[in-house]
Amino acid sequence: MNHMGLNEIREAYLKFFESKAHLRLESFPLVPKDDKSLLLINAGMAPLKPYFTGLKTPPSKRITTCQKCIRTGDIENVGKTSRHATFFEMLGNFSFGDYFKNEIIPWAWEFVTEVLKISKDKLYVTIYLEDDEAYDIWVKTTDIDSSRIFRLGKDDNFWEIGQGPCGPCSEIHFDRGEGKITSSEEFVKASEEDRVVEFWNLVFTQFDKDENGNYNRLQFPNIDTGMGLERISTIMQGTKNIFEIDTIKSILDSVAVLANIKYGEDNKTDVSLRIIADHVKSVTFLICDGVLPSNEGRGYVLRRLLRRAARHGRLLGIKEIFLSKIVDVVVKNYGEAYTELKERIDYIKKVVALEEERFNETIDSGIEILKQFIEEVEEKGEKVLSGEKAFKLYDTYGFPLELTEEILEEKGLKIHIESFKEEMEKQRKRAREARGESNYMGSDDSILNKISKDIGTEFIGYNKLECEGIVKALTKEEDFVSVLGEGEEGIIVTDITPFYAEMGGQVGDTGAILGESFEAQVMDCKKNINGKIIHFVKVLKGKVLIDQKVTLKVDKERRSNIAKNHTATHMLHEALKDILGDHVNQSGSYVDSERLRFDFTHFAALTQEELENIEKLVNEKVMEVYEVHTEVMSIEEAKNSGAIALFDDKYKDEVRVVSVGEFSKELCGGTHVKSSGQIGLFKIVSESGVAAGIRRIEAVTGFNAIKYFENKNKVIKDSAALLKCNEKELLNKIQSNMLELKEKDKEISELKSKLVQGIEEEILNSVKEIKGVKVITFNVKELDANALRDLADKIRDKMTEGVVVLSSTSNEKVNFVAMATKDAVEKGVHCGKIIKEAASIAGGGGGGRPDMAQAGGKLPEKVQDSLKAVYVVVENLVK
């Protein structure tokens, strides 16, 4: 057996299948494209589903990939078992109706025994009970000892998910034990005891299961195999678990150095080391593929992983922000295979550091909340914290369950774990509902995606806005039709079109499709999952027929405005890089006829000066009237030419590169102006943050920019008219008015103060005594929170052994303040508890220290009830 590193095994596998005429594709991003059923890619075949279902035509009938995957279903087991991980790589080779069992079985045996050189007496093969065909091929085309082949049932060796394509599979296993296994029963027992490890699954998709449960043979069966790269690496490197293989051990060791501990000396710290190594690897790949921390969906998966890693760093005694240092080690080990990691390392580290800092802040406020919860539990003399409260800490403060358990344990308390799990399940259900339902393999069965593969539309809209064409398909609602009548809405597919279909952030064209006997309005234009161009229309008069000759006309003015905005987006991207730095990358854009929106990676709000410089640079380049040049080239040529790219459609042979003079060069499939001068004018209208490390700029161009200035001008004119001055005096006039208002506010405040002084005596006279403590409650009309606090302070200073609770109502709200003297506190008075009770009666909340507390309420009519409750609370508190 060769001792091979993980990177070495990956390359050997892909090269082997390239030698068998497979097209090697780079790993697809972790974020699924066109698949609402999946949160994240979780298997090698997941991104290839449309090829299996026939919705898309594969770039080759034979494909091989090493696919990055994330699974978080067993996150609680990560670090505790030998093989659970959230991030893993799946080696796979796939045949879409090309080769079948006759080819893959001997290839698999060749790779395992001749490339990896695994000893044949360490290998076993399982097949489906009834798959005589697979048995015969194993025996006839390889030199496996037939006594090493075991037949197992449906649970082990048959792959199906509900209806649709399914079939038997054959698995290859490695034996870590000694002696030969001689029966199926003995084999199953050895598997359960982890002596035997399955490492490669060959799925033979040969049936289509219908709604009645019948298995119908597929005319063109498929091959779909999967081999876990980490698992085969443990076999090749002879390690006990996946954390000890070369790449992951390197990450784990770097954490151990930071924590100043050794791996393998203490099980508890080993678990933390493994969790951090696994989670930081997942986090690095997720951020690289465009996921950002948030409280839902993919962002929540990322935040949870990041916070678990940070938390385990604290458990190991690492005090400082440290996760971004581990990112360096991940990139060092995986950057050669996944070059995007090296390209985006600074951005990844920045997002990680920001989130870890944020977690450090929330963890401290979470501990304060937990202390309050513990106090409440202890006051009631109970030993269990409710699952709802533990879940609130988990959900709101990102507080891991084990941290809550640990802190409670120190106090001899525990969590009501069943109700915590119920809350967790409710949240999972919400997440599932948000993700949307899906049928088999996540394919979208809408009528749009059922348009025949034989129908193709040629797009000529880069150079022409009008052309003749033939109607090739019509649909209405969810049916194909031969006629679309007056007043009806549907879709038209033609053999040729000048209409741009929505793509790359640019909206689809609108316009008209006309025939001899009809007129249809094109309301939108999109592409279906297979890339076919679809016109969404409303028939204004007459009727459209299949095979009819038509004229297609794009709305010229709207297209012109979209093109202005799109070219301006490219120029803005370049200006941002020039002025803010090379870390700026596009993370999203939207271009329509009214405006442009551009999201980009940057970690602070832009200053007014930066915005002015960006706007000035774009306008300078507009006025230099650069030619906008488009060139079609290979992806390699595009990369070498220095074009900026988000290589999303990685597998197209040719790409369009759009250059604005020497200023900007980008990959783009959108429509553009012929020269930068046509943009006319560029104006930024807003800049804001949309997520951690992501900023957004909105801007207008051309006549929309002129309109923007006209509107601003009108506001200035109307303001001057209202203030009865000319435009030049506007600022002075506003300043003098503000000074006048300040003087009046001061006057009002002084008058209120005099009124309050008059009421002090009345308040002091309303004193009652409870268990030797003087208690004053009083409702003062229309005082703000600050004035109310000052008044309570004065009253307290004139009391001995007492507590004062004041309220004030204004604008349908109530403010409360409570203050107590030092000796009253010593007798048991606690303003925080008093105010909490009083405010809750008035529909509010708040709290504070024993000697001072504030709160608010929403029910002014309940104020007197709140103040009456004060006496009851004081009586219970005073010893």
Side-chain angles (χ1 to χ4, degrees):
M1 182 156 68
N2 286 347
H3 182 93
M4 296 169 80
L6 177 134
N7 289 317
E8 213 182 327
I9 298 168
R10 185 197 299 110
E11 188 56 26
Y13 182 93
L14 296 170
K15 269 203 173 125
F16 177 81
F17 280 100
E18 277 185 310
S19 78
K20 307 294 184 196
H22 286 62
L23 171 69
R24 180 203 293 217
L25 295 185
E26 288 176 51
S27 172
F28 288 77
L30 284 164
V31 177
K33 215 178 163 194
D34 302 322
D35 187 349
K36 294 185 188 74
S37 72
L38 267 187
L39 203 58
L40 293 160
I41 294 296
N42 60 4
M45 60 78 69
L48 304 170
K49 286 177 195 174
Y51 301 148
F52 280 110
T53 55
L55 283 170
K56 277 188 174 181
T57 308
S60 162
K61 284 192 167 187
R62 297 180 179 190
I63 280 176
T64 184
T65 62
C66 180
Q67 176 61 44
K68 43 193 177 182
C69 304
I70 293 265
R71 284 184 195 170
T72 54
D74 293 315
I75 192 170
E76 284 77 16
N77 291 325
V78 171
K80 292 174 187 170
T81 69
S82 66
R83 62 171 83 148
H84 276 100
T86 54
F87 175 90
F88 62 97
E89 295 176 78
M90 188 61 82
L91 296 163
N93 61 285
F94 309 92
S95 163
F96 307 107
D98 183 8
Y99 63 82
F100 203 47
K101 294 178 198 177
N102 270 317
E103 289 79 8
I104 186 54
I105 288 172
W107 287 344
W109 191 248
E110 182 189 344
F111 180 72
V112 173
T113 61
E114 293 179 30
V115 179
L116 300 184
K117 292 190 166 36
I118 297 176
S119 171
K120 292 168 193 174
D121 61 9
K122 285 284 184 190
L123 295 168
Y124 292 95
V125 164
T126 56
I127 58 169
Y128 178 51
L129 215 52
E130 298 166 16
D131 197 354
D132 295 332
E133 186 185 17
Y135 180 83
D136 290 342
I137 295 168
W138 271 113
V139 172
K140 286 173 187 167
T141 67
T142 79
D143 62 356
I144 190 170
D145 178 343
S146 61
S147 64
R148 290 181 167 273
I149 302 171
F150 297 114
R151 293 175 184 256
L152 298 179
K154 259 200 170 175
D155 289 348
D156 295 293
N157 283 85
F158 198 93
W159 188 87
E160 64 182 336
I161 308 175
Q163 281 172 237
C166 58
C169 61
S170 180
E171 294 178 330
I172 308 175
H173 305 254
F174 180 79
D175 186 2
R176 295 196 283 203
E178 294 302 323
K180 192 177 174 193
I181 296 168
T182 55
S183 68
S184 292
E185 294 71 28
E186 203 186 322
F187 177 83
V188 169
K189 187 170 180 284
S191 287
E192 284 165 359
E193 290 167 358
D194 237 17
R195 169 185 159 175
V196 165
V197 184
E198 175 266 316
F199 64 90
W200 198 356
N201 188 3
L202 319 175
V203 180
F204 313 130
T205 316
Q206 62 193 60
F207 300 116
D208 187 13
K209 187 180 178 185
D210 62 25
E211 60 257 32
N212 304 318
N214 299 319
Y215 293 94
N216 307 306
R217 286 282 304 205
L218 282 169
Q219 189 188 349
F220 299 109
N222 300 318
I223 288 289
D224 158 20
T225 89
M227 182 184 340
L229 180 54
E230 292 79 4
R231 197 176 288 187
I232 188 65
S233 296
T234 62
I235 292 168
M236 298 301 291
Q237 295 173 27
T239 65
K240 292 192 292 293
N241 62 53
I242 61 166
F243 296 96
E244 290 169 23
I245 60 175
D246 57 341
T247 52
I248 305 178
K249 184 70 164 53
S250 169
I251 301 163
L252 190 145
D253 286 342
S254 68
V255 184
V257 168
L258 282 177
N260 200 20
I261 56 174
K262 278 207 170 80
Y263 179 66
E265 289 185 350
D266 173 350
N267 186 49
K268 197 177 175 190
T269 58
D270 282 357
V271 168
S272 289
L273 287 172
R274 292 197 287 255
I275 285 170
I276 296 165
D278 169 80
H279 287 13
V280 177
K281 185 147 59 85
S282 293
V283 157
T284 302
F285 277 95
L286 281 166
I287 296 168
C288 184
D289 282 351
V291 181
L292 282 161
S294 72
N295 282 334
E296 57 191 19
R298 297 174 189 114
Y300 186 66
V301 171
L302 172 59
R303 175 161 282 168
R304 191 176 169 203
L305 291 167
L306 242 159
R307 292 185 164 190
R308 280 188 107 228
R311 160 69 192 138
H312 278 277
R314 280 193 165 205
L315 281 180
L316 293 176
I318 303 172
K319 297 279 192 288
E320 76 275 11
I321 298 287
F322 77 101
L323 295 177
S324 62
K325 292 176 186 167
I326 313 303
V327 170
D328 282 324
V329 191
V330 175
V331 176
K332 189 179 169 190
N333 281 278
Y334 288 86
E336 292 306 316
Y338 299 100
T339 52
E340 63 270 25
L341 292 175
K342 289 206 272 193
E343 288 162 14
R344 298 174 199 165
I345 185 167
D346 293 340
Y347 168 63
I348 297 165
K349 286 173 73 174
K350 194 88 185 200
V351 174
V352 167
L354 277 173
E355 183 65 14
E356 192 179 356
E357 279 164 19
R358 186 172 291 149
F359 179 51
N360 273 355
E361 289 160 17
T362 37
I363 211 161
D364 293 333
S365 45
I367 283 170
E368 285 306 309
I369 302 284
L370 183 52
K371 276 181 188 166
Q372 281 181 25
F373 288 167
I374 289 169
E375 245 175 68
E376 287 165 20
V377 171
E378 287 177 335
E379 273 172 19
K380 291 176 190 166
E382 292 172 358
K383 290 279 177 194
V384 180
L385 178 73
S386 76
E388 288 81 5
K389 284 183 172 164
F391 187 75
K392 187 186 177 185
L393 281 167
Y394 169 77
D395 205 35
T396 312
Y397 295 95
F399 230 58
L401 180 66
E402 59 262 32
L403 175 57
T404 308
E405 284 178 317
E406 204 172 289
I407 295 169
L408 288 171
E409 218 171 274
E410 288 162 13
K411 304 269 183 185
L413 307 171
K414 57 183 185 179
I415 295 169
H416 191 282
I417 205 74
E418 281 72 29
S419 58
F420 178 87
K421 283 177 180 168
E422 278 169 26
E423 293 296 320
M424 192 73 165
E425 193 42 51
K426 282 182 205 165
Q427 209 221 47
R428 279 188 182 137
K429 194 177 171 208
R430 287 195 295 273
R432 279 196 299 273
E433 282 162 2
R435 201 158 71 224
E437 284 305 310
S438 141
N439 53 13
Y440 169 72
M441 282 185 148
S443 60
D444 187 349
D445 263 351
S446 144
I447 188 80
L448 306 183
N449 293 325
K450 289 179 180 170
I451 293 161
S452 167
K453 284 184 184 173
D454 302 331
I455 296 172
T457 305
E458 184 193 349
F459 174 66
I460 57 156
Y462 290 128
N463 306 311
K464 290 185 176 180
L465 295 183
E466 187 175 325
C467 74
E468 305 290 313
I470 308 280
V471 176
K472 289 292 181 185
L474 294 170
T475 79
K476 187 175 81 174
E477 289 162 359
E478 278 297 299
D479 293 309
F480 286 105
V481 291
S482 52
V483 181
L484 210 53
E486 194 166 309
E488 290 181 338
E489 290 185 15
I491 68 166
I492 294 178
V493 180
T494 55
D495 61 338
I496 190 167
T497 184
F499 283 84
Y500 181 84
E502 184 180 325
M503 192 175 52
Q506 178 177 327
V507 293
D509 282 333
T510 60
I513 297 178
L514 312 165
E516 266 182 30
S517 58
F518 81 91
E519 187 183 320
Q521 178 189 353
V522 177
M523 300 174 292
D524 201 354
C525 184
K526 294 182 188 289
K527 282 187 177 182
N528 75 354
I529 198 167
N530 213 5
K532 303 204 178 301
I533 297 171
I534 292 161
H535 308 93
F536 291 81
V537 301
K538 181 173 185 178
V539 182
L540 302 178
K541 64 177 188 187
K543 57 187 177 184
V544 192
L545 306 171
I546 289 279
D547 294 329
Q548 190 173 358
K549 198 173 180 187
V550 294
T551 302
L552 299 101
K553 286 185 177 179
V554 173
D555 179 332
K556 285 181 186 172
E557 190 183 336
R558 184 173 176 274
R559 166 74 86 83
S560 169
N561 287 339
I562 292 169
K564 286 180 171 68
N565 285 337
H566 202 150
T567 309
T569 306
H570 285 216
M571 295 171 77
L572 169 62
H573 192 179
E574 188 53 50
L576 287 164
K577 278 185 175 295
D578 285 4
I579 284 158
L580 301 179
D582 268 345
H583 65 278
V584 169
N585 275 313
Q586 180 179 336
S587 77
S589 72
Y590 175 83
V591 176
D592 64 16
S593 59
E594 299 292 316
R595 67 196 168 108
L596 65 95
R597 186 178 77 211
F598 189 75
D599 295 350
F600 58 97
T601 50
H602 187 60
F603 299 94
L606 273 64
T607 63
Q608 190 54 40
E609 189 185 359
E610 283 170 336
L611 286 168
E612 283 168 10
N613 288 340
I614 289 158
E615 195 173 86
K616 183 171 179 259
L617 181 56
V618 174
N619 278 313
E620 275 173 10
K621 301 303 174 187
V622 164
M623 290 173 200
E624 282 177 31
V625 191
Y626 285 128
E627 185 190 344
V628 178
H629 183 62
T630 304
E631 212 178 332
V632 176
M633 58 179 81
S634 76
I635 219 147
E636 279 312 307
E637 287 172 319
K639 277 183 176 176
N640 296 335
S641 75
I644 295 175
L646 293 168
F647 290 99
D648 187 20
D649 272 334
K650 291 179 182 172
Y651 312 119
K652 282 185 177 169
D653 294 331
E654 293 195 316
V655 290
R656 292 178 83 244
V657 175
V658 177
S659 308
V660 182
E662 294 296 309
F663 181 58
S664 146
K665 193 175 231 185
E666 262 185 63
L667 253 73
C668 182
T671 63
H672 292 270
V673 292
K674 294 215 167 14
S675 99
S676 65
Q678 287 175 285
I679 293 167
L681 187 59
F682 171 83
K683 176 69 193 158
I684 293 172
V685 297
S686 74
E687 189 273 341
S688 59
V690 286
I694 301 284
R695 307 297 302 173
R696 169 174 292 173
I697 280 179
E698 298 204 20
V700 285
T701 62
F703 286 109
N704 285 317
I706 292 168
K707 200 192 295 176
Y708 174 84
F709 284 116
E710 284 171 350
N711 289 339
K712 290 274 183 197
N713 206 19
K714 188 175 185 304
V715 169
I716 291 168
K717 278 185 172 163
D718 292 351
S719 302
L722 212 59
L723 289 165
K724 296 185 172 61
C725 67
N726 67 41
E727 287 170 31
K728 285 178 184 170
E729 292 166 353
L730 196 54
L731 279 175
N732 290 336
K733 184 76 173 174
I734 289 168
Q735 279 169 336
S736 68
N737 278 10
M738 280 170 75
L739 279 170
E740 210 174 300
L741 283 170
K742 259 186 190 167
E743 289 298 320
K744 286 189 162 75
D745 282 346
K746 196 177 166 189
E747 206 176 309
I748 291 165
S749 187
E750 283 165 1
L751 286 167
K752 273 189 179 176
S753 203
K754 283 176 187 170
L755 285 170
V756 166
Q757 283 165 10
I759 214 166
E760 273 180 38
E761 206 168 311
E762 194 183 337
I763 295 170
L764 284 161
N765 288 339
S766 67
V767 68
K768 287 186 181 180
E769 194 162 306
I770 294 170
K771 293 183 179 177
V773 173
K774 293 184 172 64
V775 182
I776 291 175
T777 66
F778 203 90
N779 184 47
V780 190
K781 281 180 185 168
E782 297 205 1
L783 273 195
D784 65 25
N786 290 336
L788 194 66
R789 196 168 58 238
D790 292 344
L791 181 58
D793 217 359
K794 286 177 185 170
I795 302 294
R796 178 179 59 182
D797 289 348
K798 292 178 181 175
M799 294 175 82
T800 52
E801 279 196 340
V803 57
V804 56
V805 180
L806 301 182
S807 62
S808 182
T809 53
S810 65
N811 299 330
E812 298 299 307
K813 285 182 182 171
V814 192
N815 280 320
F816 291 99
V817 67
M819 289 194 187
T821 61
K822 194 178 175 186
D823 18 19
V825 171
E826 283 166 5
K827 282 196 167 183
V829 167
H830 191 300
C831 290
K833 291 175 183 176
I834 294 168
I835 211 93
K836 193 177 179 186
E837 186 63 34
S840 69
I841 293 167
R849 303 189 308 267
D851 62 333
M852 190 286 204
Q854 283 177 284
K858 296 174 196 157
L859 307 168
E861 66 275 15
K862 296 275 188 183
V863 160
Q864 292 309 326
D865 294 343
S866 293
L867 295 177
K868 277 178 197 164
V870 170
Y871 301 109
V872 180
V873 180
V874 172
E875 189 153 2
N876 290 334
L877 288 172
V878 176
K879 294 158 192 164

